Amino acid sequence: MYTVPKLEDYSAESLDRAANELRKALESEAHDVNTAAQFKEFRDRWWSRKSGIKAQINKVWLGNAPLDQKPKVGFWLNLLAMEIEEKLEETQGAVAVYESALTLAAKEDWTGVISRPLADRLDISLPGIQRPIGVKHPVLRVMDEIVAVFKAMGYSVGEGPEVETDYYNFESLNFPPNHPARDTQDTLFIAGQESKPARDRLLLRTHTSPVQIRTMEQQPPPVRIVIPGKVHRNDPLDATHSPVFHQVEGLAVDTNITFCDLKGTLDHAMKALFGSSVKTRFYPSFFPFTEPSADMQVSCIFCGGKGCRKCKFSGWIELLGCGMVDPNVFDFVKQNGYDSSKISGFAFGMGVERIAILKYEVEEIQLFYEGDVRFLEQFA
Ligand code: PHE
């Protein structure tokens, strides 16, 4: 058992040696403290005002120091006292953890599992391990944002299968077999279906538009629906194209729906997505399932329309396809109340990644799919 020795002399080496011996004793005695009762004994031995080791080192080491050395020795003893006090606190914490673990273990009859070394390794002053909470993927987030804008206008949300038939993806959308318009959507077909009639052959849907027909088969007019979803095209990957991407489709059918409604609805949606200063314009285009068809452009969100590299100095950025539902499309669902002499409608389809790229100024579409946390956590 450690006792405070008399110091031969007060050289630095001698003080060092004395301090190290004291530390060794402190450490090994602390290690043997398991219970609150043992801790009390340990604390009294080291800290008791009259006879504790701390009191003794003051008396023996400071008391016997030559007068001119006293300030230095006093300072040194203060440091040692701090070390003792720290060790006392640490041991008290470990004992508390150990005892509460024992209480818990006793309830479960696990006492044998818990040992003091285990409690020693628990530093209750350390911050806990923080598991990062995941965030919504930026593509999903933008998709949800788009959907929310239309929900606020009274639209409901629909879904459809990613593996589609030729009928829904093309034929019922007024792409006749072998029509050249099919070439604009390079399609991934499921292999080995040559024996099936063309319209039943399965493919990976190239757009969300097939859900237009699926919706109208299910419900008579009026319709206000948005359809978010994944689509596939046999396109090579480049900075802005991916063979797998996402779209949000929209369809509104009612009596007296006009091109003005289409323009007003999309203009409002773009202002909600990009800010109220954004302008829209509609450019003639072609889709087999809309007539007339348009490409909608927004004023460049980077330069405000003045012209910059991002908008190729035109001041406008092409964002989505839209148009008035072609009467030929309604004819495929005529029996469900879609009589093109009585009702009309508009449809639109937008690429989610394209909008996300613009909103967040992402340079490479691939960043969305690589799952690199350094990229994704920026959206937290
Ligand atoms: N489906 C078209 C595309 O993917 C977009 C579109 C949707 C155009 C609805 C008009 C109406 O390119």
Side-chain angles (χ1 to χ4, degrees):
M1 192 79 133
Y2 177 78
T3 51
V4 177
K6 267 211 164 82
L7 296 180
E8 305 278 307
D9 65 82
Y10 284 82
S11 65
E13 294 81 50
S14 166
L15 294 185
D16 246 11
R17 204 175 324 112
N20 282 335
E21 269 166 29
L22 178 133
R23 286 189 189 109
K24 234 168 64 200
L26 180 65
E27 187 63 52
S28 89
E29 287 182 32
H31 190 78
D32 293 335
V33 176
N34 287 317
T35 63
Q38 287 170 340
F39 173 73
K40 193 176 168 305
E41 220 173 277
F42 172 66
R43 190 189 53 202
D44 287 348
R45 176 169 147 73
W46 286 84
W47 209 248
S48 119
R49 281 254 310 262
K50 290 220 180 77
S51 56
I53 290 173
K54 186 201 163 202
Q56 288 177 42
I57 56 178
N58 273 332
K59 199 156 81 203
V60 180
W61 292 351
L62 186 62
N64 293 325
L67 211 55
D68 63 334
Q69 301 273 8
K70 276 192 202 287
K72 187 182 82 182
V73 175
F75 178 74
W76 171 73
L77 281 176
N78 276 340
L79 294 179
L80 272 181
M82 274 162 64
E83 284 185 41
I84 297 172
E85 199 177 6
E86 250 173 57
K87 187 49 91 183
L88 284 170
E89 275 175 23
E90 186 192 308
T91 310
Q92 189 173 26
V95 165
V97 170
Y98 177 54
E99 292 220 315
S100 59
L102 273 185
T103 317
L104 275 177
K107 279 193 206 142
E108 303 282 352
D109 211 14
W110 286 347
T111 320
V113 179
I114 311 288
S115 64
R116 169 61 205 286
L118 176 75
D120 262 352
R121 276 187 264 120
L122 281 178
D123 181 348
I124 54 172
S125 68
L126 271 179
I129 298 166
Q130 298 207 356
R131 292 184 188 284
I133 297 172
V135 294
K136 215 180 259 180
H137 190 279
V139 170
L140 245 189
R141 177 160 149 176
V142 170
M143 191 147 91
D144 286 352
E145 221 177 295
I146 299 166
V147 167
V149 166
F150 286 95
K151 267 171 110 171
M153 288 192 270
Y155 283 66
S156 53
V157 185
E159 269 183 335
E162 285 170 34
V163 179
E164 260 301 3
T165 60
D166 186 283
Y167 176 75
Y168 285 112
N169 196 79
F170 290 123
E171 198 179 323
S172 65
L173 288 166
N174 201 29
F175 291 82
N178 306 317
H179 191 282
R182 290 183 175 221
D183 295 347
T184 63
Q185 304 192 350
D186 207 346
T187 310
L188 293 158
F189 287 90
I190 310 285
Q193 303 187 89
E194 292 74 13
S195 59
K196 284 189 188 170
R199 57 158 54 181
D200 294 339
R201 289 184 196 161
L202 295 172
L203 47 80
L204 298 181
R205 68 176 177 191
T206 58
H207 50 178
T208 39
S209 300
V211 195
Q212 288 186 30
I213 288 284
R214 286 183 173 277
T215 303
M216 291 190 283
E217 283 180 347
Q218 297 299 318
Q219 81 180 74
V223 170
R224 303 277 191 283
I225 194 165
V226 278
I227 303 127
K230 194 186 285 173
V231 301
H232 303 75
R233 292 193 194 176
N234 190 16
D235 287 338
L237 187 71
D238 67 21
T240 55
H241 293 86
S242 154
V244 185
F245 61 106
H246 299 79
Q247 288 188 331
V248 176
E249 188 83 11
L251 175 69
V253 184
D254 209 333
T255 48
N256 299 319
I257 296 245
T258 69
F259 202 89
C260 274
D261 298 316
L262 169 60
K263 287 177 79 171
T265 302
L266 288 179
D267 188 72
H268 169 80
M270 293 307 123
K271 287 182 163 63
L273 287 172
F274 292 111
S276 54
S277 59
V278 94
K279 295 194 199 61
T280 53
R281 74 174 183 184
F282 294 77
Y283 228 69
S285 184
F286 173 78
F287 301 99
F289 41 97
T290 46
E291 183 59 36
S293 301
D295 283 329
M296 191 206 69
Q297 305 177 342
V298 290
S299 53
C300 180
I301 57 170
F302 302 105
C303 65
K306 286 197 279 294
C308 66
R309 260 186 44 204
K310 301 252 186 193
C311 59
K312 302 196 182 85
F313 301 97
S314 71
W316 295 90
I317 293 177
E318 201 176 292
L319 211 57
L320 58 83
C322 58
M324 303 305 291
V325 179
D326 193 301
N328 289 347
V329 173
F330 285 138
D331 283 348
F332 283 95
V333 283
K334 200 169 184 167
Q335 72 295 344
N336 204 20
Y338 292 88
D339 177 347
S340 59
S341 67
K342 297 205 177 87
I343 48 110
S344 54
F346 64 75
F348 55 85
M350 59 188 99
V352 178
E353 280 83 349
R354 178 144 177 72
I355 292 176
I357 282 170
L358 291 174
K359 267 186 89 103
Y360 297 120
E361 300 191 40
V362 175
E363 304 276 334
E364 289 273 339
I365 198 169
Q366 244 172 298
L367 287 165
F368 289 129
Y369 313 118
E370 284 169 345
D372 188 329
V373 177
R374 289 167 303 179
F375 171 72
L376 295 173
E377 71 188 357
Q378 297 174 66
F379 300 90

